[in-house]
Amino acid sequence: MKSKTTAIILSVLVGSLGVDRFYLGYTGLGILKLLTCGGLGIWTLIDLIRICTGSLKAADGSELQ
């Protein structure tokens, strides 16, 4: 089980480095996000919103707790 609170904190603090995606199990997307600096911030903001609303789940399909 992955923590929603941890994912939000990681997204806010180091989201542009893809750490939130690595935490959720999306290694490939984490690398892509790292190389693009979070899509110049846009992808970082979108991920933060998706984590907060619950539409972004862990890679194994489980809900964030």
Side-chain angles (χ1 to χ4, degrees):
M1 284 284 160
K2 302 289 183 178
S3 168
K4 184 175 186 176
T5 305
T6 302
I8 290 171
I9 291 170
L10 289 173
S11 187
V12 169
L13 297 179
V14 286
S16 62
L17 300 176
V19 176
D20 52 346
R21 287 290 186 151
F22 286 116
Y23 173 72
L24 294 174
Y26 297 101
T27 306
L29 291 174
I31 293 170
L32 186 60
K33 196 171 174 184
L34 173 65
L35 295 175
T36 62
C37 296
L40 300 176
I42 296 170
W43 194 0
T44 303
L45 180 62
I46 291 170
D47 279 351
L48 179 61
I49 292 168
R50 289 187 66 204
I51 292 169
C52 290
T53 61
S55 67
L56 184 59
K57 299 177 183 175
D60 62 3
S62 64
E63 297 283 334
L64 301 178
Q65 295 291 328

mmCIF file of all heavy atoms in Angstrom, residues 39-60:
data_model
loop_
_atom_site.group_PDB
_atom_site.id
_atom_site.type_symbol
_atom_site.label_atom_id
_atom_site.label_comp_id
_atom_site.label_asym_id
_atom_site.label_seq_id
_atom_site.Cartn_x
_atom_site.Cartn_y
_atom_site.Cartn_z
ATOM 1 N N GLY A 39 8.184 17.970 -17.239
ATOM 2 C CA GLY A 39 7.434 18.567 -18.349
ATOM 3 C C GLY A 39 7.386 20.079 -18.212
ATOM 4 O O GLY A 39 6.362 20.701 -18.467
ATOM 5 N N LEU A 40 8.533 20.643 -17.772
ATOM 6 C CA LEU A 40 8.656 22.085 -17.505
ATOM 7 C C LEU A 40 7.627 22.564 -16.485
ATOM 8 O O LEU A 40 7.145 23.691 -16.541
ATOM 9 C CB LEU A 40 8.573 22.892 -18.800
ATOM 10 C CG LEU A 40 9.647 22.576 -19.830
ATOM 11 C CD1 LEU A 40 9.412 23.353 -21.109
ATOM 12 C CD2 LEU A 40 11.029 22.850 -19.286
ATOM 13 N N GLY A 41 7.295 21.686 -15.550
ATOM 14 C CA GLY A 41 6.395 22.045 -14.461
ATOM 15 C C GLY A 41 4.943 21.698 -14.709
ATOM 16 O O GLY A 41 4.169 21.573 -13.763
ATOM 17 N N ILE A 42 4.574 21.554 -15.959
ATOM 18 C CA ILE A 42 3.166 21.280 -16.277
ATOM 19 C C ILE A 42 2.791 19.870 -15.840
ATOM 20 O O ILE A 42 1.760 19.664 -15.195
ATOM 21 C CB ILE A 42 2.916 21.479 -17.789
ATOM 22 C CG1 ILE A 42 3.139 22.939 -18.147
ATOM 23 C CG2 ILE A 42 1.514 21.031 -18.169
ATOM 24 C CD1 ILE A 42 3.157 23.219 -19.623
ATOM 25 N N TRP A 43 3.621 18.903 -16.164
ATOM 26 C CA TRP A 43 3.363 17.517 -15.795
ATOM 27 C C TRP A 43 3.348 17.366 -14.272
ATOM 28 O O TRP A 43 2.547 16.613 -13.709
ATOM 29 C CB TRP A 43 4.428 16.634 -16.414
ATOM 30 C CG TRP A 43 4.159 15.166 -16.411
ATOM 31 C CD1 TRP A 43 3.053 14.523 -15.900
ATOM 32 C CD2 TRP A 43 4.997 14.156 -16.937
ATOM 33 N NE1 TRP A 43 3.176 13.176 -16.086
ATOM 34 C CE2 TRP A 43 4.366 12.920 -16.720
ATOM 35 C CE3 TRP A 43 6.225 14.170 -17.574
ATOM 36 C CZ2 TRP A 43 4.929 11.717 -17.116
ATOM 37 C CZ3 TRP A 43 6.768 12.982 -17.972
ATOM 38 C CH2 TRP A 43 6.127 11.771 -17.746
ATOM 39 N N THR A 44 4.228 18.106 -13.596
ATOM 40 C CA THR A 44 4.275 18.079 -12.136
ATOM 41 C C THR A 44 2.962 18.551 -11.544
ATOM 42 O O THR A 44 2.419 17.930 -10.624
ATOM 43 C CB THR A 44 5.442 18.953 -11.633
ATOM 44 O OG1 THR A 44 6.657 18.480 -12.207
ATOM 45 C CG2 THR A 44 5.538 18.916 -10.128
ATOM 46 N N LEU A 45 2.427 19.628 -12.061
ATOM 47 C CA LEU A 45 1.154 20.171 -11.569
ATOM 48 C C LEU A 45 0.011 19.201 -11.836
ATOM 49 O O LEU A 45 -0.835 18.969 -10.965
ATOM 50 C CB LEU A 45 0.876 21.531 -12.225
ATOM 51 C CG LEU A 45 -0.408 22.223 -11.809
ATOM 52 C CD1 LEU A 45 -0.391 22.525 -10.316
ATOM 53 C CD2 LEU A 45 -0.589 23.504 -12.600
ATOM 54 N N ILE A 46 -0.007 18.620 -13.019
ATOM 55 C CA ILE A 46 -1.057 17.657 -13.365
ATOM 56 C C ILE A 46 -0.992 16.440 -12.445
ATOM 57 O O ILE A 46 -2.027 15.971 -11.951
ATOM 58 C CB ILE A 46 -0.950 17.250 -14.848
ATOM 59 C CG1 ILE A 46 -1.321 18.435 -15.734
ATOM 60 C CG2 ILE A 46 -1.830 16.034 -15.153
ATOM 61 C CD1 ILE A 46 -1.029 18.223 -17.200
ATOM 62 N N ASP A 47 0.211 15.929 -12.187
ATOM 63 C CA ASP A 47 0.354 14.783 -11.282
ATOM 64 C C ASP A 47 -0.116 15.127 -9.877
ATOM 65 O O ASP A 47 -0.765 14.317 -9.218
ATOM 66 C CB ASP A 47 1.799 14.296 -11.249
ATOM 67 C CG ASP A 47 2.150 13.402 -12.413
ATOM 68 O OD1 ASP A 47 1.231 13.022 -13.168
ATOM 69 O OD2 ASP A 47 3.336 13.063 -12.560
ATOM 70 N N LEU A 48 0.212 16.312 -9.400
ATOM 71 C CA LEU A 48 -0.226 16.738 -8.063
ATOM 72 C C LEU A 48 -1.751 16.762 -7.976
ATOM 73 O O LEU A 48 -2.333 16.242 -7.022
ATOM 74 C CB LEU A 48 0.355 18.106 -7.716
ATOM 75 C CG LEU A 48 -0.050 18.667 -6.356
ATOM 76 C CD1 LEU A 48 0.407 17.751 -5.229
ATOM 77 C CD2 LEU A 48 0.515 20.055 -6.179
ATOM 78 N N ILE A 49 -2.388 17.305 -8.978
ATOM 79 C CA ILE A 49 -3.851 17.353 -9.005
ATOM 80 C C ILE A 49 -4.426 15.940 -9.060
ATOM 81 O O ILE A 49 -5.374 15.613 -8.334
ATOM 82 C CB ILE A 49 -4.344 18.204 -10.193
ATOM 83 C CG1 ILE A 49 -3.975 19.671 -9.977
ATOM 84 C CG2 ILE A 49 -5.849 18.046 -10.398
ATOM 85 C CD1 ILE A 49 -4.155 20.544 -11.195
ATOM 86 N N ARG A 50 -3.845 15.083 -9.897
ATOM 87 C CA ARG A 50 -4.347 13.702 -10.023
ATOM 88 C C ARG A 50 -4.165 12.914 -8.735
ATOM 89 O O ARG A 50 -5.027 12.111 -8.367
ATOM 90 C CB ARG A 50 -3.653 12.989 -11.179
ATOM 91 C CG ARG A 50 -4.102 13.524 -12.539
ATOM 92 C CD ARG A 50 -3.554 12.709 -13.678
ATOM 93 N NE ARG A 50 -4.134 11.364 -13.621
ATOM 94 C CZ ARG A 50 -3.551 10.302 -14.159
ATOM 95 N NH1 ARG A 50 -2.400 10.403 -14.777
ATOM 96 N NH2 ARG A 50 -4.126 9.121 -14.079
ATOM 97 N N ILE A 51 -3.069 13.129 -8.027
ATOM 98 C CA ILE A 51 -2.860 12.436 -6.753
ATOM 99 C C ILE A 51 -3.874 12.925 -5.724
ATOM 100 O O ILE A 51 -4.488 12.133 -5.014
ATOM 101 C CB ILE A 51 -1.416 12.637 -6.246
ATOM 102 C CG1 ILE A 51 -0.423 11.914 -7.151
ATOM 103 C CG2 ILE A 51 -1.279 12.144 -4.808
ATOM 104 C CD1 ILE A 51 1.029 12.263 -6.888
ATOM 105 N N CYS A 52 -4.081 14.237 -5.654
ATOM 106 C CA CYS A 52 -5.020 14.801 -4.678
ATOM 107 C C CYS A 52 -6.456 14.360 -4.930
ATOM 108 O O CYS A 52 -7.210 14.136 -3.986
ATOM 109 C CB CYS A 52 -4.943 16.323 -4.684
ATOM 110 S SG CYS A 52 -3.408 16.970 -3.984
ATOM 111 N N THR A 53 -6.842 14.231 -6.191
ATOM 112 C CA THR A 53 -8.217 13.835 -6.507
ATOM 113 C C THR A 53 -8.411 12.324 -6.495
ATOM 114 O O THR A 53 -9.545 11.853 -6.543
ATOM 115 C CB THR A 53 -8.646 14.377 -7.883
ATOM 116 O OG1 THR A 53 -7.792 13.840 -8.894
ATOM 117 C CG2 THR A 53 -8.619 15.889 -7.912
ATOM 118 N N GLY A 54 -7.319 11.564 -6.463
ATOM 119 C CA GLY A 54 -7.414 10.111 -6.419
ATOM 120 C C GLY A 54 -7.481 9.437 -7.775
ATOM 121 O O GLY A 54 -7.698 8.234 -7.863
ATOM 122 N N SER A 55 -7.290 10.192 -8.846
ATOM 123 C CA SER A 55 -7.353 9.578 -10.177
ATOM 124 C C SER A 55 -6.034 8.925 -10.590
ATOM 125 O O SER A 55 -5.998 8.193 -11.576
ATOM 126 C CB SER A 55 -7.774 10.612 -11.221
ATOM 127 O OG SER A 55 -6.776 11.596 -11.388
ATOM 128 N N LEU A 56 -4.960 9.166 -9.853
ATOM 129 C CA LEU A 56 -3.675 8.517 -10.128
ATOM 130 C C LEU A 56 -3.461 7.430 -9.080
ATOM 131 O O LEU A 56 -3.372 7.713 -7.892
ATOM 132 C CB LEU A 56 -2.523 9.522 -10.091
ATOM 133 C CG LEU A 56 -1.137 8.991 -10.448
ATOM 134 C CD1 LEU A 56 -1.128 8.411 -11.852
ATOM 135 C CD2 LEU A 56 -0.101 10.086 -10.334
ATOM 136 N N LYS A 57 -3.395 6.190 -9.528
ATOM 137 C CA LYS A 57 -3.228 5.051 -8.632
ATOM 138 C C LYS A 57 -1.801 4.544 -8.718
ATOM 139 O O LYS A 57 -1.031 4.962 -9.589
ATOM 140 C CB LYS A 57 -4.203 3.940 -9.023
ATOM 141 C CG LYS A 57 -5.640 4.346 -8.930
ATOM 142 C CD LYS A 57 -6.553 3.256 -9.400
ATOM 143 C CE LYS A 57 -7.995 3.758 -9.347
ATOM 144 N NZ LYS A 57 -8.924 2.794 -9.895
ATOM 145 N N ALA A 58 -1.456 3.629 -7.838
ATOM 146 C CA ALA A 58 -0.144 2.983 -7.881
ATOM 147 C C ALA A 58 -0.077 2.110 -9.132
ATOM 148 O O ALA A 58 -1.092 1.741 -9.714
ATOM 149 C CB ALA A 58 0.072 2.152 -6.635
ATOM 150 N N ALA A 59 1.125 1.774 -9.553
ATOM 151 C CA ALA A 59 1.326 1.004 -10.785
ATOM 152 C C ALA A 59 0.642 -0.365 -10.733
ATOM 153 O O ALA A 59 0.243 -0.892 -11.755
ATOM 154 C CB ALA A 59 2.808 0.838 -11.067
ATOM 155 N N ASP A 60 0.497 -0.927 -9.540
ATOM 156 C CA ASP A 60 -0.154 -2.232 -9.424
ATOM 157 C C ASP A 60 -1.681 -2.129 -9.410
ATOM 158 O O ASP A 60 -2.368 -3.135 -9.269
ATOM 159 C CB ASP A 60 0.339 -2.973 -8.189
ATOM 160 C CG ASP A 60 0.019 -2.264 -6.885
ATOM 161 O OD1 ASP A 60 -0.641 -1.209 -6.904
ATOM 162 O OD2 ASP A 60 0.439 -2.782 -5.825
#
